[in-house]
Amino acid sequence: MDLSIQGKIIALWAVFLFGIVFHSQLGFMPVLYGEDVAMPAYKGKMPISHPWLMLGFFAIPMIAILGTVFLNSHPYRVIHFGVTVFYTLMNFLHAAMDMTVRPIEWYQIALMVLVLINGIFLNIVAYQWMQ
């Protein structure tokens, strides 16, 4: 099957979004089994910045997908490549930070490694598109 480079980018972003949504979902699953997942330092109050940061982290890939569908200019492709690199670095840092959580939840690490590998492929294809 011969898929356009933009089609590959869109597919890789979609896999990335599924991965981060699933990562979030896995993090909340213990609640379904009666486990306490509260963060005591916050005393039941979520900081205002957290939902906005999560919204941004999910929305930017959605915007990148739309941009890749409708834009083909070189400046957009350069910005897009920069965004893919940023997300790969963030995923690497997140996976590394997950290694410090005790007990280590290996299913989360495995998922983050898959998302990271997907991000590296996204970097490669975005770089090819940028050229």
Side-chain angles (χ1 to χ4, degrees):
M1 177 170 82
D2 189 26
L3 193 60
S4 74
I5 200 156
Q6 286 162 294
K8 291 175 186 177
I9 289 171
I10 292 165
L12 288 166
W13 271 123
V15 170
F16 172 82
L17 276 171
F18 278 121
I20 63 172
V21 167
F22 191 48
H23 177 65
S24 298
Q25 180 65 28
L26 280 176
F28 293 120
M29 283 185 79
V31 170
L32 299 175
Y33 295 95
E35 232 179 275
D36 184 15
V37 295
M39 300 172 92
Y42 291 102
K43 297 178 178 53
K45 302 277 185 192
M46 183 166 51
I48 303 249
S49 62
H50 288 193
W52 287 104
L53 287 171
M54 284 189 72
L55 173 64
F57 203 76
F58 286 99
I60 290 171
M62 293 170 19
I63 293 166
I65 289 170
L66 290 172
T68 302
V69 169
F70 293 108
L71 302 172
N72 196 22
S73 68
H74 190 262
Y76 172 74
R77 289 182 283 168
V78 171
I79 291 167
H80 176 267
F81 175 69
V83 169
T84 67
V85 170
F86 171 76
Y87 271 83
T88 299
L89 291 173
M90 294 299 293
N91 284 329
F92 175 77
L93 291 172
H94 190 83
M97 288 171 42
D98 277 356
M99 294 293 288
T100 66
V101 173
R102 297 291 180 244
I104 294 177
E105 297 173 344
W106 289 106
Y107 58 90
Q108 288 283 35
I109 303 300
L111 178 59
M112 288 308 299
V113 168
L114 287 172
V115 171
L116 180 62
I117 291 168
N118 180 79
I120 292 168
F121 282 124
L122 180 56
N123 294 148
I124 292 167
V125 177
Y127 180 79
Q128 292 169 348
W129 190 43
M130 183 180 67
Q131 296 302 309

